[in-house]
Amino acid sequence: MRRHLTTIRLARFLPLLLVLRRSPCWDRVRLDLWRASQWGAAHRSSGELTTLQALSVLDGRPVRSVVLSRLARAGGRFGMMTTVLKRLSPGEPTLEISCDAGPGLRIAHGYGTLVHAASIGARCSIYQGVTLGHTDWGAPVIGDRVRIYANAQVLGPVTIGDDAVIAAGAVVLSDVPAGMMAAGVPARVVKPATPPRHE
């Protein structure tokens, strides 16, 4: 009975999932959903998510913010559908995404998070309270597999290299080389980044 009620509750995300599957951004969204499903999962798989698993992942507001942002950027009829879908299945209200990102973007929690970058690579992870912001001189360029931890700020035309880590609370005003960790205010490169425990 409980499982049946959960399925009914998740069914409200079915219109969103159906539109996403027909959209030109589906390949990116599919990896977004898969990465979100792996977060904290006891048993990880590399296979395709079932419909019920995808609906379960869409139950997360930050995930909906990411996929709705992608859908809006698809333009045409998908852009128009986004307006309706945002009302039916709203995302995280304090998470703002105003740029395109590579596949597999994972935003954990997403409270008070602003994502205004020139570009974001594949399989990046962004935590709550992060600001990726532009200045009069430009916006950040984020490489692949970058992890940006809670309350960090990456401001202006800086480049964050592939596999770099931005520590919690850091204020990044200059480039961070690939594979390195930056911490502090203002942030400085402190050591090589450790690989994530799970992906």
Side-chain angles (χ1 to χ4, degrees), residues 119-124 141-146 159-164:
S119 65
I120 298 176
R123 292 178 176 259
C124 290
V141 174
I142 311 296
D144 294 337
R145 300 171 303 280
V146 171
T159 299
I160 310 300
D162 295 347
D163 300 299

Side-chain angles (χ1 to χ4, degrees), residues 1 5 28 33 57 70 73 79 113 137 144 162-163 177:
M1 179 69 173
L5 290 174
R28 289 182 175 211
L33 296 177
V57 174
R70 291 199 191 282
R73 291 181 174 282
T113 302
W137 298 277
D144 294 337
D162 295 347
D163 300 299

Side-chain angles (χ1 to χ4, degrees), residues 164-183:
V165 172
I166 308 302
V171 178
V172 179
L173 303 172
S174 57
D175 294 353
V176 177
M180 301 302 289
M181 174 185 275

Side-chain angles (χ1 to χ4, degrees), residues 6-190:
T6 300
T7 304
I8 291 171
R9 183 174 63 83
L10 293 176
R12 71 186 192 273
F13 305 122
L14 192 57
L16 175 58
L17 183 61
L18 293 174
V19 172
L20 287 167
R21 282 184 168 161
R22 294 177 176 269
S23 74
C25 59
W26 173 240
D27 285 340
R28 289 182 175 211
V29 166
R30 188 168 48 190
L31 188 54
D32 296 335
L33 296 177
W34 184 83
R35 286 197 77 222
S37 76
Q38 301 307 293
W39 183 253
H43 302 287
R44 305 178 201 288
S45 70
S46 57
E48 190 77 15
L49 296 178
T50 67
T51 297
L52 188 58
Q53 287 170 328
L55 292 173
S56 181
V57 174
L58 285 171
D59 195 25
R61 283 181 176 261
V63 176
R64 292 200 303 271
S65 289
V66 170
V67 300
L68 286 166
S69 171
R70 291 199 191 282
L71 201 58
R73 291 181 174 282
R77 64 192 173 109
F78 295 104
M80 290 186 289
M81 287 179 191
T82 305
T83 305
V84 175
L85 290 168
K86 278 182 178 178
R87 290 185 178 274
L88 294 173
S89 306
E92 171 54 52
T94 63
L95 167 58
E96 183 177 322
I97 304 170
S98 66
C99 63
D100 197 16
L105 177 63
R106 180 173 59 206
I107 297 184
H109 310 303
Y111 308 125
T113 302
L114 301 174
V115 182
H116 300 260
S119 65
I120 298 176
R123 292 178 176 259
C124 290
S125 297
I126 299 173
Y127 290 76
Q128 70 272 16
V130 166
T131 298
L132 303 182
H134 60 80
T135 64
D136 291 341
W137 298 277
V141 174
I142 311 296
D144 294 337
R145 300 171 303 280
V146 171
R147 290 170 284 154
I148 305 175
Y149 287 99
N151 300 312
Q153 298 179 48
V154 181
L155 307 172
V158 299
T159 299
I160 310 300
D162 295 347
D163 300 299
V165 172
I166 308 302
V171 178
V172 179
L173 303 172
S174 57
D175 294 353
V176 177
M180 301 302 289
M181 174 185 275
V185 181
R188 294 180 180 163
V189 173
V190 292

